[in-house]
Amino acid sequence: PAIEETIKRFEAREDCRVMRVYNGCGILVAQMRAGETPDSYFACDTSFMKQVQDLFLDSAQISTNQLVIVVPKGNPHEIKALKDLAKPNLRIGVGHEKQCAMGVLTQETLKQANLYNPVMKNVTVQSPTGDFLVNQLRTGSLDAVIAYASNITSAKSELESVPIDIPCAVAAQPFAVGKESKFKYTALRLLDALKSQESREKFTSEGFHWKADAK
């Protein structure tokens, strides 16, 4: 949601088509290591960009995204901190630790809080995307999920978030252009579009924190 409008305007301006492949970063990195060669990569966290940095020019950080605990409106299970996710009989959803940055960061956050084993005992769903977890929460299949702040911007009437005050619970999103891309200069202009003031406003409205210098 943070980039779609910008890409559509870019396509109209440049008279081109930008083919998007949205997925968990672990899955995307595996595809690249298997031979896929995208013209650019917008990673969900710098840790995944580093795994394929040899395929790209220097990356530019665009934004950050905070991990939060997401619960139904009214917080019926009174979850006020990470430790409350270890309460008996809760159904918890988290990111898949091998398929997405959200899962990796969740794992590290729980370990730093000394809560990995107690909380993981309650985990019934692991997903490569936060949107899937939020949808499961909305249907009543889960009692709480750990997802990004941006994942609940479209469902604030039904859900609320509980902050996670641990420094590692923040993902940084870098964008890079492929070294061997045939459309290198077009991809660099797309980067400029993503760093624009209009793009910044869209990112912040979707729950991200802005890190790029607006142009």
Side-chain angles (χ1 to χ4, degrees):
I3 66 173
E4 268 299 312
E5 289 182 16
T6 301
I7 292 178
K8 288 177 181 177
R9 289 196 300 267
F10 181 82
E11 288 177 318
R13 188 188 80 189
E14 297 280 334
D15 192 22
C16 70
R17 181 184 176 195
V18 179
M19 291 178 286
R20 293 77 132 174
V21 179
Y22 293 123
N23 219 325
C25 274
I27 296 172
L28 293 175
V29 165
Q31 290 173 339
M32 284 183 257
R33 284 303 177 201
E36 295 287 337
T37 54
D39 296 293
S40 61
Y41 177 34
F42 197 5
C44 40
D45 188 62
T46 52
S47 61
F48 283 93
M49 180 66 77
K50 289 176 181 177
Q51 294 179 39
V52 289
Q53 189 64 67
D54 58 306
L55 303 177
F56 296 92
L57 302 175
D58 290 343
S59 60
Q61 186 174 331
I62 303 297
S63 57
T64 61
N65 208 351
Q66 178 73 45
L67 280 185
V68 294
I69 302 168
V70 188
V71 297
K73 206 74 173 179
N75 198 355
H77 294 281
E78 298 185 346
I79 296 169
K80 299 178 181 178
L82 274 177
K83 62 181 177 63
D84 294 329
L85 296 179
K87 290 180 178 180
N89 302 317
L90 284 180
R91 299 165 299 168
I92 307 298
V94 299
H96 194 290
E97 60 192 50
K98 293 184 179 180
Q99 295 181 338
C100 63
M102 185 177 67
V104 174
L105 292 174
T106 298
Q107 180 187 45
E108 183 61 28
T109 297
L110 292 174
K111 286 180 177 178
Q112 288 198 20
N114 293 319
L115 290 168
Y116 182 79
N117 288 329
V119 171
M120 290 302 292
K121 288 179 181 178
N122 284 338
V123 170
T124 60
V125 175
Q126 295 188 57
S127 166
T129 69
D131 289 338
F132 178 83
L133 295 175
V134 166
N135 286 335
Q136 292 286 98
L137 183 62
R138 293 171 75 179
T139 63
S141 299
L142 296 171
D143 299 311
V145 304
I146 298 178
Y148 289 130
S150 63
N151 290 131
I152 67 166
T153 53
S154 62
K156 287 186 175 180
S157 62
E158 303 171 59
L159 307 174
E160 58 187 80
S161 62
V162 178
I164 298 175
D165 297 321
I166 295 179
C168 72
V170 179
Q173 292 78 54
F175 181 98
V177 175
K179 287 181 179 179
E180 305 300 325
S181 172
K182 296 178 181 179
F183 306 102
K184 194 174 297 179
Y185 294 107
T186 306
L188 286 168
R189 290 195 296 275
L190 176 57
L191 172 58
D192 283 340
L194 290 170
K195 293 168 68 176
S196 69
Q197 181 61 33
E198 289 178 337
S199 176
R200 175 178 184 163
E201 291 170 2
K202 184 61 178 172
F203 268 81
T204 54
S205 72
E206 290 290 338
F208 292 86
H209 292 281
W210 189 249
K211 290 297 180 180
D213 293 326
K215 291 188 177 182

